[in-house]
Amino acid sequence: MKEEQLKRAYEDAKAQYASLGVDVDQAIEKLNNLSISIHCWQADDVSGFENPDGELTGGIQATGNYPGKARTIEELRSDFEKVLTLIPGTHRISLHAIYGDFGGEFVDRDQIEPKHFQSWIDWAKKVGVKLDFNCTLFSHPKGESGYMISHFDPEIREFWKEHLRRCRRIAAEIGRQQGDPCIHNIWFPDGEKDKTVSRFAHRQLMKEALDDVFTEKISTDYLKDCVECKLFGIGSESYVVGSHEFYMGYAVKNNMMLTLDAGHFHPTESIADKISSMLLFVPELNLHVSRPERWDSDHVVILSDELLALTQEIVRSGHADRVHVGLDYFDASINRLGAYIVGIRATQKAMLQALLEPTRQLREFELQDKNFQRLAYLEELKSMPWNAVYNYYCQQQNVPVGDAYIQDVQEYEDQVTSKRV
Ligand SMILES: C[C@H](O)[C@H](O)[C@@H](O)C(=O)CO
Ligand SMILES: [Mn+2]
């Protein structure tokens, strides 16, 4: 689309939104302040660099065999650098502990140190992104039984507790060097396939392990820990130790951040409606935006009703500054870089629609019991020209407008990822 056309469409959109009392430029500014935490594991099907040829375990699965996955740190960074040229805004990259720069050595999880992530910190500074972090309690022989940090064997528990302690220190060092707290997400797949009898015992062990690890106090200027619950995984269909009730209780009791993953609840349960409740009881929330297709399948995020409901709840809560938006999906069946762009842009588009909502007016209708008017406006808003605003934003940020990024992704595949054989 030509520059003048884009500008005209934007001016039209601006006038239409102004008639509803919405300030489009303010919405763009807020969208531009939304740093999405881009998960590193879409680029390589959650392989990492500790044992890249090992099996992905822990009840999660990347299906598909599309060529071109990142096999080295250099390839992964090159993919990210490309991604950053195709999306507007300033973002974060979320690393898992198995993505350290181990220099070809095997470094076990209870041995990792900040030095293994120094090249990531330097790279992030160079490309202008901040980093987040995740401990990795999957794809390891000490997780074979299904239990790790809540294992009955104290030696196995100690191994994972040590991993967790080290991950917190690594994340804190990242936060210190980047001058911005590093969000450290804690997800353990501990659980069982079938009718578990010792549910209380495992949960007690998990609670004790967390309490023990968190006795080491680290300033939230550097590190923000958050805990992620899950309903079930592959091979843990019957019981997951870190359930919603477990972590909701833990986060509320300890006044810490809770992670809500869109795929970690019952299939028709939405995390959107949890935001306004949890914001009353925990200091901050971390979101794992994902797309569950019938199960926690981690499909690429698209502009769905569920995603829109999520961003609407973030904005309507009036506490968007306490909600961190991260992505969590891994699709190995399509161009992996394209998967990033689709998911990131969809999240931004949903956020923009939410920011362009005349919320005050809608609340007026509620006060006056005019619920037909509320519903009608919510319907009309769906076809308002929000995309003209997004296109203009992309153009202002010098990134491809509309579908232009598809060609860029194809070129990168032709020139780079297709050569990875
Ligand atoms: C790789 C991530 O840590 C993982 O996806 C986790 O966040 C999760 O959601 C597991 O289902
Ligand atoms: Mn997740």
Side-chain angles (χ1 to χ4, degrees), residues 41 185 187 228-229 259-262 264 288 290 296 298 327-328:
W41 49 95
N185 187 56
W187 168 67
E228 179 181 9
C229 77
T259 298
L260 296 172
D261 183 311
H264 286 192
H288 272 188
S290 194
D296 180 32
D298 291 294
L327 303 178
D328 184 10

Side-chain angles (χ1 to χ4, degrees), residues 206-216 250 253-254:
M206 184 175 274
K207 179 184 172 297
E208 281 169 11
L210 286 169
D211 288 348
D212 189 6
V213 168
F214 289 139
T215 54
E216 181 174 345
Y250 198 85
K253 184 159 188 236
N254 294 287

